[in-house]
Every structure is written in structure tokens, then in C-alpha cells.
Amino acid sequence: MLAMNPRVSRWSRTGELVTLAGRRIFVRRRPGSGPPLLLLHGYPSSSYDWRALFEHLPDRHLITFDFLGFGLSDKPREQLYSLLMQADLVELVAARYAGGEPLVLVAHDMGTSVATELLARELENKLQFELASVLLFNGSMVIERASLTVGQKLLRSRLGPIAARLSNERSFRAQFGRIFSAQHPLSGEEAADQWSLLAHNDGHRILDKLTFYLHERVTHASRWHGALHDWPGRLELAWAGLDPVCTESVLQAVLELRPSAPLTRFADLGHYPQLEDPPRVAAVIEHHASQS
């Protein structure tokens, strides 16, 4: 097992490991003003993606956590990594940390599909907390329009278990770096931190299992697309224009489902806008939250 590097170790001390549904889940929470903001991360990263918001939104009530299998949370080998299970965790985190207040949900990448499952549950009157509003960043919510990376395609295939066993820091850095924009490239420090979190408790060995959500985006397409279309609350989009995975084609497909959704564009940013330009992303989130 690889040791956490010093920066990731410091991050781990800002939060806590809590037991939810029998698993240890890493949660970072800071009380503040306004409605609680619950931040959902993507694949293959963790809540660490949102760390700059704690600096750039100093007065806001922020909650973020690592999904099961990611970051500092438990990484059981035989788990079925369903987004339905991850949505269950969101409900448990909200019950424990939001104090019964309506939540502003902010999601990126894989987290956007968890968000659409939560919208579907609210439409069914089954959601265990109240949503004040939703802000979705780049995510392959319409999977047939997405341009999956070579690594994602391989991990999703029958060769996935072999690819996961052979994964290493060098290959991770190369593939992860390709989804950042040329103007805001992946730094060596960021790459080291992301690998440290991925490899924590040998999480890189289950990368193939963590891609199960790509199958679910097909299986549950009707349910999740319907939720995007039908959910009556305030839903906004923020989209990075240089994302090679969640491209303009994905955005247009989402807008076909939700044509009235207000849209903020980051024309010069890649797949991880919150890492490439945290102040701009924080400003968009602050503006969204201020209207909730």
C-alpha cells in the first residue's frame, strides 16, 4: 500500500472518516452561512477536487465527501459500485450534516449522474432531503454523445481487470493530463496528489469496478434523462468548452432535455474546471447559491 503524500495527508486531517451503511466514508464539512452546498465529485478522483472552494467560498456552508471506492473512503474489492448505492450515501451524508436544511447540490462528472438519480427520487417523493437547487458541471449524462478516453474504454471492456492490475502512476499521469486544457495543464503536484488518493488502499486496482457507472448510464438512461427533463426545481449548467470527454455534443444533448437551463460557459477550460480555474468556478457557485 502506498503512503499518502504530505499534501493529501494534510487534507485528510481536515475531515473525518464516518461509518455510513457499514463503510468508512471520508467527509469534509465546514459550517457557514446560507443553504448547505453539497459537492459531488467525479471519476476517478475524489472530494479533493473541491478543496479550493473552502478558500474561495470562505463564508459558505460546504459539505463534500468521497464516494465509496474513491479517495480516502473504503474501497471494498467485491462491491458492486452502483450509482444507486452512491446516491444512498448522499442521502446519509445529507441526513447527518445538513441539519434538515434544503441543500444546494453541485456535481461534476460521475457525480452528475448521481445527481440525476436524486432528482428522480425527488420526483417519486422518495428523497430523504429537500433540494433547494442543482448546479451541474461537465458530465456524460447522455453517454452516447460522450467521447470516452482510451483508458475508460479499456477498463469498461472484458480486459478491464487486467488493465486495472497493470495501472501505475506513469500511465495515470499521461491519461489524466490529456483531459486538461493546454492553457491550464495538469501540474506535477496535482498529478501526484490525485495518484496518491487513487492509489490509497490500492484503489487503482479496482478501477475497472469503478467504471460500472458507465453501464448504468445506459441501463438507467430513460430514468435519468426523464429526471433532467421533468424535475421542476432550479437547475443550472456550467460547462467547460475544451473538455475532450464531455464535449459540446453532450452539452447540446443535455440542453435538448433541459432547454430552459441557464448555462455558464468556460470556453478555455478542460474537463476539470474546478482544478484549472478555482476562482472562476467558485464565482459561478457563489452566484448560484446566492439565488437559493
Side-chain angles (χ1 to χ4, degrees):
M1 185 187 304
L2 299 176
M4 289 185 286
N5 73 31
R7 290 179 300 276
V8 170
S9 183
R10 285 194 296 272
W11 166 254
S12 73
R13 293 192 293 272
T14 66
E16 60 179 337
L17 282 171
V18 299
T19 299
L20 299 172
R23 301 294 189 182
R24 292 179 305 164
I25 302 299
F26 176 79
V27 182
R28 170 83 192 275
R29 181 224 182 188
R30 189 197 61 207
S33 62
L37 275 63
L38 181 55
L39 314 169
L40 305 183
H41 70 82
Y43 170 97
S45 48
S46 68
S47 61
Y48 191 69
D49 297 346
W50 300 111
R51 67 192 185 279
L53 292 191
F54 287 84
E55 172 188 352
H56 294 291
L57 296 174
D59 300 322
R60 286 288 178 184
H61 183 177
L62 301 179
I63 307 166
T64 189
F65 74 99
D66 293 344
F67 287 123
L68 188 67
F70 295 81
L72 300 171
S73 290
D74 280 351
K75 298 175 178 178
R77 298 296 180 266
E78 303 308 316
Q79 176 74 40
L80 177 65
Y81 285 96
S82 168
L83 296 190
L84 304 180
M85 174 271 296
Q86 306 288 19
D88 292 342
L89 282 178
V90 174
E91 296 205 55
L92 292 172
V93 169
R96 182 164 183 150
Y97 291 97
E101 295 184 65
L103 283 168
V104 173
L105 193 64
V106 179
H108 170 248
D109 187 72
M110 184 191 80
T112 63
S113 288
V114 177
T116 56
E117 169 59 23
L118 297 170
L119 299 184
R121 293 180 184 187
E122 183 160 89
L123 284 167
E124 297 169 340
N125 294 317
K126 295 179 179 179
L127 191 64
Q128 300 302 307
F129 63 90
E130 183 180 348
L131 282 169
S133 62
V134 176
L135 175 59
L136 302 178
F137 286 81
N138 294 53
S140 300
M141 289 167 275
V142 183
I143 189 67
E144 62 270 22
R145 299 281 189 93
S147 301
L148 299 182
T149 67
V150 173
Q152 285 176 311
K153 291 177 182 177
L154 182 60
L155 288 165
R156 193 183 182 192
S157 75
R158 59 185 178 86
L159 298 176
I162 297 173
R165 286 198 298 272
L166 295 175
S167 62
N168 55 55
E169 184 172 3
R170 182 178 179 182
S171 63
F172 168 76
R173 283 175 178 251
Q175 293 185 51
F176 199 59
R178 293 191 188 108
I179 59 178
F180 284 70
S181 67
Q183 298 97 317
H184 305 84
L186 175 67
S187 69
E189 185 175 279
E190 185 69 40
D193 294 352
Q194 294 288 343
W195 173 254
S196 182
L197 284 155
L198 178 61
H200 178 66
N201 284 341
D202 292 332
H204 56 308
R205 302 303 185 206
I206 59 168
L207 275 170
D208 59 314
K209 297 179 182 295
L210 298 179
T211 62
F212 183 72
Y213 76 96
L214 295 173
H215 299 284
E216 288 189 299
R217 279 177 167 163
V218 177
T219 304
H220 301 297
S222 178
R223 173 179 175 83
W224 293 347
H225 295 174
L228 274 173
H229 181 273
D230 296 336
W231 187 66
R234 183 165 63 89
L235 185 150
E236 298 187 11
L237 302 170
W239 214 266
L242 298 181
D243 187 337
V245 180
C246 307
T247 60
E248 180 70 19
S249 180
V250 177
L251 172 60
Q252 292 306 315
V254 174
L255 288 172
E256 288 171 15
L257 294 168
R258 192 84 179 192
S260 62
L263 169 65
T264 300
R265 288 182 178 272
F266 304 109
D268 60 330
L269 301 183
H271 183 66
Y272 275 89
Q274 70 272 50
L275 295 179
E276 294 193 25
D277 197 337
R280 284 167 63 192
V281 168
V284 170
I285 294 174
E286 172 62 36
H287 182 265
H288 177 89
S290 68
Q291 300 177 62
S292 298

